[in-house]
Amino acid sequence: MSVSVKICGINSREAAEAVLKAGADFGGLVFFPRSPRHLTLEHGRLLAQQLRSRVRVVTLLVEPDDAMVDDIMAAIAPDFIQLHGNETPERAGAIGFRARRPIIKALAVAEAADVARAHAYQDAADYILFDAKADGSATRPGGWGAAFDWKLVSGTTFKKPFGLAGGLTADNVARAIATSGATFVDASSGVEDAPGKKSPEKIAAFVLAARNAQYTHVRGDV
């Protein structure tokens, strides 16, 4: 089993360098004004230049219109687009077609019915990302440090690879992988000292823990 690692919410040169040094597979850039990790297009462009060719660059968007998609492609030219809002399967597919990029579709999970929604996206998205559902007072759909019950996705079969986000840290990522069978993991708040402030030490520890979990999961020791 090969487990990929994504660090999301990169918002400084120091954080980008920490992600590269740790050996993550994906680096996520957030374009959503209500997030403490939000970037301007120019800041995102500079960080993407720093990351490019060493990790796969992912832009996180929330219900973008066509103009936003075009602006992201012109300024950032990401390798993947992650959709983290209430995009329908049809809209997710249309964005992927317009951008000519693979789509990571995030789905909020609190119960089994939320996991079942993933089947509707399997022709529109290239990857499914299960994240913890935010409560009704939340101002953004993710990045709160909350986890969901990983057993909800255990044993579930999808046509596309799926990953986990939400409350993942170096301390729990091995258990998350072993429980769910996810093929990639995504951390943001779990590798921060404060909202929007990435910790190089926590990034390194998370990537190492995920790599070790990959090894032990293959051997069946977790």
Side-chain angles (χ1 to χ4, degrees), residues 20-198:
L20 295 173
K21 185 176 180 180
D25 303 290
F26 299 84
L29 307 176
V30 175
F31 297 89
F32 185 59
R34 294 202 294 268
S35 170
R37 306 162 189 97
H38 170 66
L39 300 170
T40 64
L41 287 174
E42 176 59 17
H43 194 182
R45 182 184 68 80
L46 294 174
L47 290 175
Q49 286 180 346
Q50 183 179 355
L51 294 167
R52 200 177 314 283
S53 80
R54 297 176 65 185
V55 300
R56 285 164 281 185
V57 176
V58 181
T59 52
L60 186 155
L61 309 177
V62 179
E63 300 169 24
D65 58 18
D66 286 350
M68 180 62 175
V69 173
D70 293 345
D71 287 346
I72 287 291
M73 293 308 302
I76 313 299
D79 299 298
F80 293 81
I81 292 177
Q82 179 173 319
L83 299 175
H84 219 98
N86 293 315
E87 301 87 1
T88 65
E90 294 75 19
R91 179 58 180 158
I95 291 171
F97 181 80
R98 185 178 189 88
R100 297 291 195 272
R101 289 295 190 275
I103 295 294
I104 301 171
K105 180 66 185 90
L107 295 174
V109 176
E111 58 188 35
D114 298 322
V115 175
R117 291 177 57 221
H119 294 288
Y121 287 88
Q122 291 188 103
D123 292 328
D126 299 271
Y127 297 86
I128 301 296
L129 178 63
F130 294 113
D131 196 357
K133 183 174 286 188
D135 65 33
S137 64
T139 58
R140 59 185 189 272
W144 290 99
F148 67 94
D149 183 357
W150 305 313
K151 292 179 182 177
L152 291 172
V153 299
S154 179
T156 306
T157 302
F158 302 101
K159 291 193 297 184
K160 301 295 176 64
F162 75 88
L164 294 183
L168 295 179
T169 68
D171 293 330
N172 66 15
V173 67
R175 183 160 49 89
I177 292 168
T179 300
S180 67
T183 59
F184 70 101
V185 289
D186 186 340
S188 184
S189 60
V191 292
E192 292 179 340
D193 290 328
K197 183 174 176 55
K198 289 290 187 284

